Amino acid sequence: MSAETWQDVPLAPPDSIFQLTASYKADTFEKKVNLGVGAYRDDDNKPWVLPVVQKASELILKDTSLDHEYLPITGLASYTTAAAKLILGASSPAIQEQRTVSVQTISGTGANHLGALFLSRFYKWNGAPQVYLSKPTWANHHAIFKNVGIEPVDYPYYDPKTIGLDFDGFIGSLQNAPERSVFLLHACAHNPTGVDPTEEQWKGVADVMLAKKHYAFFDCAYQGFASGDLDKDAWAVRYFVDRGVALLVCQSFAKNAGLYGERVGALHVVPPSKEAAERVKSQLSVLQRSEISNPPTYGARVVSLILNDGILFEEWKADIRTMAGRIIAMRKELFRLLTEELHTPGNWEHIINQIGMFSFTGINAGQSKQLVEEAHVYLTGNGRISMAGLNTKNIRYFAESLDKVVRG
Amino acid sequence: MLATALSRRAAVGVNANALRSLSTWANVVAGPPDPILGVTEAFKADQDPRKINLGVGAYRDGNGKPYVLPSVKKAEEILTASKPDKEYLPITGLAEFTKRAALLAYGADSAPLKDGAISITQSISGTGALRIGGEFLARHYPHSKAIYLPVPSWGNHTPIFADSGLEVRGYRYFDKKTVGLDFEGLKADLRAAPEQSIVLLHACAHNPTGVDPTQAQWAEISDIVKERKLFPFFDMAYQGFASGDTARDAFALRHFVAEGHQVALAQSFAKNMGLYGERVGAFSLVTADPAEKARVDSQLKIVIRPMYSNPPVHGALIANTILGDKALYTQWEGEVKGMADRIISMREKLYNALTHDLKTPGEWGHIKSQIGMFSFTGLTPDHTKVLAQKAHVYMTSNGRISMAGLNDSNIDYFAESVNAAVKGNL
């Protein structure tokens, strides 16, 4: 019991995104702009609790029949069932044939972790456990898979020359990977690039995945948030289910319902049969039990209420369109300022072609640093900006600052 | 249905290889149902009106209903009216909450607390705290990978620690003969454990037995732990709930810290605030100084981030509201005492029914001397089976009952059923 027990514990590097936010908060510059963390902000740069969520919270508070009892290990059934329908579509063969296993998770991270953990224990690996991750991808993907003993391997995705998709590189990687490899696919609104495959390109990906018997690990954190349309954003996942690609889907309600801190997510595994689904469910439950026992009630109740009530569901869709709409408007305005007013050197089409919360501007690490240090514009070193951080009050300042660093 | 699905898939160009993916999960065997949570499933399926659920440890009021603490209800109203945003919490959770949680557990006089040397993170209730602790110890505790659990312990302790990468072993705890503490066995086993092993200690209201060491016995245990340089990991899921007094229930933890032990602590607010499903808890470590605390903090974040990024905010806000408001805090303390008192009165009643009214064979003093939510009745797995099947009385197969499931309306039926089971008359 001497005081030396923890003396060798090394200082771990701080999470880079959170550090960026901390620097922003400490900055006293009046015109500072935060384009770091991916949380939606309204036009006044304030967090936005969706009106439908506020309504649902009040209904929950008033409901005297509700208590704080434990949920089942796999979560609130009315929530997971509705969440599965939302991403897969009510008419999905996966749902009609009752072979979808749905587990409520601690938001998207929890779903990714549980999915990765399940694969690490039960997937029939072809060689050492590996997962193919897009280059680039959400930083936490690497940590999540490494944490359960699955080694990340990059697949080509982003082409810095076109500031678009390196489709040939992507397909090449699928073709060259050993059979039965696991590929992580962003269902829509790729993080961090905002570059999504077209429907034709998705079809090409599915063709190769079937030919090579690969497994699709879908991460869907922006359904509805990308285009403003829930069904449109779910197209790739649903197509892959229809084609019979073996897959699971990680789902998050952090962004599309603005429920970030309530940690509302789900993991949906789609095996080929109902019987397999029962066995998979039992094993997911065992894994969940030794980590969290059962998931948190509150956020799941809010989403369950919204998804299962016709009126609230329509209100939610409208709130989603508000958010997606404002972001699309900012993309259009930024594009206009750069191309029509400032005539900033370079091609800026990607600003309006990319989709979702993030945009890979195309500037390099040096230029990003300059933006932070000289203009007090906070963004990550890869040139990624969170569009949600832009608003009618700061967009001109940002465009001018960006113009300056591009011109050198 | 499968035929239509297959033909539909054929229509959209399904490769025959896709059907071979039928083999993807072929090797997944069915996992066992959870022994504790499975009891509630069986209870729910039972249609008999006399049925009693004494399985899972969730408090029930005198009418057998879940109890939302009035202080919790009040806190929720205050919270909702304040229209909080839903932004992400930091990885280690709501700072105000964890600060107050540490104060509640360690006490205002705690030296490491005053020195700023306690590293604490919000967790997914008690389970999450134990898991974070297990992962952290497996990675950073330099001296051993072995953790000693009392026999018996909460069933979920074993998979939590095994999955964290620790080697789970046992130390004698429960004496079947006396239906009490096997103190000599406990001391011998701790003395025999390799130096610097990790030892899990239930801070109060031992789950599943309800048998706690006395304060004098805790002092002896502390000495042995010191002697063998064992690492004490406290699991405190029932602070306030055991005796009705939060300071009293924290005695063992505080004694160890005062004696200079560097402990780990898993704290749950599931029972004492009735916040079960909101998953409110905290994991903490006593470190040497603020600089070491900062390093330990950074490594706790490394454990948490790839598992779930950051914890849920709602429950933490409720707990924080209560802990941070003098009037609510006092109200809460009273409600916790109320729950503890009702349980103590049920113990009295059950003891009297079995010993004096029914004269059930056996010694039932342990019902009264045990403490907290649970009681190890001494009933055998066969007894528990027949009680479920014939009397519709549900408990875990080790004979553990949740005292909170008993009330004035069902205690007589329960006592009679136990009496019949013991006599072999069911």
Side-chain angles (χ1 to χ4, degrees):
Chain A
M1 50 138 260
S2 71
E4 44 78 353
T5 309
W6 305 118
Q7 69 179 15
D8 294 330
V9 173
L11 183 68
D15 185 286
S16 58
I17 308 279
F18 294 127
Q19 192 170 35
L20 195 68
T21 305
S23 304
Y24 168 81
K25 281 191 178 148
D27 191 331
T28 53
F29 188 73
E30 208 196 312
K31 283 186 159 181
K32 64 179 181 177
V33 183
N34 187 3
L35 303 181
V37 77
Y40 180 80
R41 293 286 176 266
D42 64 13
D43 198 57
D44 294 313
N45 198 35
K46 296 267 177 302
W48 193 57
V49 175
L50 277 61
V52 73
V53 166
Q54 186 61 39
K55 208 181 208 182
S57 323
E58 282 156 17
L59 286 168
I60 287 169
L61 185 71
K62 285 199 198 92
D63 188 342
T64 52
S65 74
L66 293 178
D67 51 43
H68 294 289
E69 292 297 291
Y70 291 124
L71 286 177
I73 297 175
T74 51
L76 184 65
S78 63
Y79 158 70
T80 50
T81 304
K85 285 203 180 108
L86 184 71
I87 181 64
L88 298 172
S91 60
S92 173
I95 291 181
Q96 295 298 315
E97 292 156 24
Q98 297 180 286
R99 51 187 177 87
T100 303
V101 181
S102 301
V103 178
Q104 182 184 336
T105 56
I106 311 288
S107 209
T109 305
N112 272 268
H113 165 69
L114 185 61
L117 183 62
F118 181 74
L119 290 179
S120 77
R121 296 282 182 90
F122 295 102
Y123 190 67
K124 279 164 63 168
W125 299 100
N126 189 355
Q130 281 181 337
V131 63
Y132 284 78
L133 302 178
S134 66
K135 190 173 172 44
T137 191
W138 179 44
N140 206 19
H141 277 143
H142 283 260
I144 289 170
F145 284 96
K146 281 206 190 109
N147 191 45
V148 297
I150 299 175
E151 196 53 37
V153 176
D154 287 336
Y155 65 82
Y157 189 82
Y158 176 70
D159 186 346
K161 282 187 256 81
T162 62
I163 315 185
L165 180 63
D166 176 4
F167 186 61
D168 289 342
F170 185 8
I171 290 290
S173 182
L174 285 162
Q175 279 164 341
N176 294 332
E179 279 199 351
R180 295 206 323 278
S181 292
V182 177
F183 274 78
L184 188 139
L185 306 169
H186 295 231
C188 65
H190 184 270
N191 177 4
T193 67
V195 170
D196 283 353
T198 61
E199 283 184 10
E200 271 315 296
Q201 289 171 327
W202 274 124
K203 286 179 184 171
V205 171
D207 288 342
V208 184
M209 290 201 70
L210 287 167
K212 298 284 297 192
K213 297 173 222 160
H214 291 330
Y215 192 86
F217 191 110
F218 271 105
D219 190 359
C220 184
Y222 301 96
Q223 188 186 4
F225 207 97
S227 69
D229 183 323
L230 288 162
D231 294 313
K232 185 158 180 218
D233 289 350
W235 186 86
V237 172
R238 296 177 187 182
Y239 178 73
F240 273 54
V241 171
D242 281 343
R243 291 288 303 273
V245 178
L247 61 82
L248 61 77
V249 189
C250 302
Q251 186 181 33
S252 169
F253 289 90
K255 284 86 174 170
N256 61 12
L259 286 171
Y260 308 94
E262 300 296 357
R263 319 309 290 128
V264 193
L267 173 70
H268 307 284
V269 182
V270 184
S273 71
K274 182 179 177 188
E275 186 274 328
E278 291 302 319
R279 289 183 280 113
V280 168
K281 185 176 187 180
S282 68
Q283 292 296 353
L284 287 171
S285 300
V286 170
L287 295 174
Q288 179 109 306
R289 177 50 159 161
S290 83
E291 292 197 358
I292 64 170
S293 280
N294 39 67
T297 339
Y298 186 73
R301 278 183 174 157
V302 170
V303 178
S304 177
L305 208 55
I306 291 170
L307 295 181
N308 289 304
D309 179 295
I311 294 173
L312 292 178
F313 189 68
E314 289 305 310
E315 287 181 23
W316 181 45
K317 288 201 280 191
D319 289 345
I320 288 176
R321 285 194 297 270
T322 300
M323 292 189 288
R326 196 182 83 67
I327 286 187
I328 289 166
M330 289 297 99
R331 287 185 178 279
K332 288 191 176 138
E333 179 59 8
L334 181 59
F335 177 74
R336 192 194 69 76
L337 284 165
L338 294 172
T339 54
E340 289 175 26
E341 283 201 27
L342 300 164
H343 303 290
T344 312
N347 184 337
W348 297 99
E349 302 273 325
H350 52 280
I351 300 282
I352 42 176
N353 291 335
Q354 285 164 7
I355 197 167
M357 178 112 49
F358 300 112
S359 178
F360 245 30
T361 52
I363 62 175
N364 60 42
Q367 290 167 320
S368 302
K369 196 168 183 222
Q370 236 187 310
L371 270 175
V372 177
E373 289 172 1
E374 292 171 15
H376 305 265
V377 171
Y378 290 78
L379 74 165
T380 47
N382 53 11
R384 180 193 88 165
I385 57 171
S386 170
M387 296 303 301
L390 290 174
N391 53 62
T392 54
K393 288 93 172 166
N394 67 17
I395 196 164
R396 178 169 290 275
Y397 175 71
F398 173 66
E400 286 167 358
S401 306
L402 180 61
D403 179 87
K404 236 189 220 154
V405 303
V406 168
R407 290 179 194 278
Chain B
M1 236 206 302
L2 187 60
T4 344
L6 288 175
S7 63
R8 189 190 313 129
R9 279 195 267 167
V12 292
V14 172
N15 191 305
N17 285 330
L19 297 177
R20 230 168 288 151
S21 71
L22 277 159
S23 67
T24 308
W25 306 118
N27 63 327
V28 175
V29 295
D34 186 278
I36 298 171
L37 301 172
V39 171
T40 298
E41 303 287 312
F43 168 81
K44 278 187 182 153
D46 190 327
Q47 304 296 325
D48 194 290
R50 296 165 297 174
K51 65 179 180 175
I52 307 178
N53 186 3
L54 303 177
V56 75
Y59 181 80
R60 293 288 175 264
D61 66 13
N63 296 313
K65 295 275 180 288
Y67 174 59
V68 175
L69 277 64
S71 56
V72 167
K73 190 84 191 137
K74 219 177 224 175
E76 274 188 301
E77 282 159 13
I78 294 170
L79 204 54
T80 309
S82 74
K83 293 202 187 246
D85 62 41
K86 309 278 180 207
E87 293 297 287
Y88 290 123
L89 283 177
I91 300 173
T92 50
L94 186 64
E96 264 194 0
F97 161 67
T98 49
K99 196 164 175 215
R100 290 172 171 145
L103 188 60
L104 176 66
Y106 293 92
D109 294 331
S110 176
L113 188 63
K114 290 195 283 194
D115 291 344
I118 294 185
S119 174
I120 188 163
T121 176
Q122 184 182 335
S123 63
I124 312 292
S125 208
T127 302
L130 291 162
R131 184 55 183 257
I132 291 168
E135 293 277 344
F136 183 85
L137 289 170
R139 292 175 208 199
H140 297 291
Y141 181 63
H143 308 298
S144 175
K145 291 275 179 278
I147 183 167
Y148 284 80
L149 309 183
V151 179
S153 193
W154 180 46
N156 205 21
H157 276 142
T158 297
I160 290 170
F161 292 121
D163 286 356
S164 297
L166 296 173
E167 193 199 316
V168 175
R169 300 181 191 168
Y171 61 89
R172 278 172 286 173
Y173 191 83
F174 181 70
D175 187 339
K176 287 196 179 101
K177 284 186 256 82
T178 62
V179 201
L181 182 66
D182 177 2
F183 194 46
E184 293 310 310
L186 182 155
K187 287 192 287 184
D189 285 353
L190 291 190
R191 283 200 172 101
E195 278 200 349
Q196 300 182 309
S197 302
I198 304 162
V199 58
L200 185 88
L201 302 162
H202 294 224
C204 62
H206 182 269
N207 178 2
T209 68
V211 169
D212 282 353
T214 61
Q215 293 193 352
Q217 288 172 326
W218 273 121
E220 274 192 74
I221 296 171
S222 169
D223 290 342
I224 296 171
V225 168
K226 222 182 254 195
E227 218 180 276
R228 301 295 299 159
K229 303 195 186 79
L230 303 176
F231 182 85
F233 189 156
F234 277 96
D235 185 359
M236 187 154 73
Y238 300 98
Q239 187 185 8
F241 204 94
S243 69
D245 181 329
T246 54
R248 185 151 167 214
D249 289 348
F251 170 80
L253 168 74
R254 293 178 188 184
H255 177 80
F256 270 60
V257 174
E259 286 288 295
H261 294 281
Q262 283 188 291
V263 308
L265 171 68
Q267 238 178 313
S268 170
F269 289 85
K271 284 86 176 170
N272 60 12
M273 283 196 179
L275 287 173
Y276 308 94
E278 303 299 346
R279 321 309 290 127
V280 190
F283 173 72
S284 55
L285 281 160
V286 172
T287 71
D289 53 49
E292 186 170 280
K293 165 194 144 49
R295 288 185 281 114
V296 168
D297 281 349
S298 73
Q299 292 296 346
L300 286 174
K301 289 175 193 171
I302 299 285
V303 168
I304 294 166
R305 175 63 158 150
M307 289 179 82
Y308 59 85
S309 284
N310 41 68
V313 63
H314 187 77
L317 281 173
I318 295 174
N320 186 53
T321 303
I322 292 172
L323 294 174
D325 177 297
K326 235 174 167 182
L328 273 179
Y329 192 106
T330 306
Q331 184 182 339
W332 169 63
E333 281 185 317
E335 287 158 11
V336 176
K337 183 164 190 311
M339 290 192 284
D341 285 348
R342 194 182 86 68
I343 286 185
I344 290 167
S345 81
M346 287 297 103
R347 289 184 177 280
E348 281 280 335
K349 268 199 150 153
L350 182 59
Y351 171 79
N352 289 333
L354 292 171
T355 311
H356 303 307
D357 301 341
L358 299 163
K359 306 215 196 314
T360 310
E363 167 55 53
W364 298 99
H366 53 277
I367 304 271
K368 279 206 295 185
S369 62
Q370 287 164 4
I371 193 166
M373 178 107 58
F374 300 111
S375 177
F376 240 31
T377 53
L379 294 167
T380 67
D382 283 339
H383 287 147
T384 67
K385 224 173 179 176
V386 74
L387 275 165
Q389 284 165 357
K390 300 285 179 61
H392 311 276
V393 172
Y394 292 83
M395 66 186 74
T396 47
S397 60
N398 54 9
R400 179 194 86 166
I401 58 170
S402 170
M403 295 303 303
L406 292 174
N407 52 63
D408 291 336
S409 309
N410 66 15
I411 196 163
D412 291 331
Y413 175 70
F414 176 68
E416 283 154 17
S417 305
V418 168
N419 184 56
V422 169
K423 287 179 176 161
N425 292 342
L426 255 187

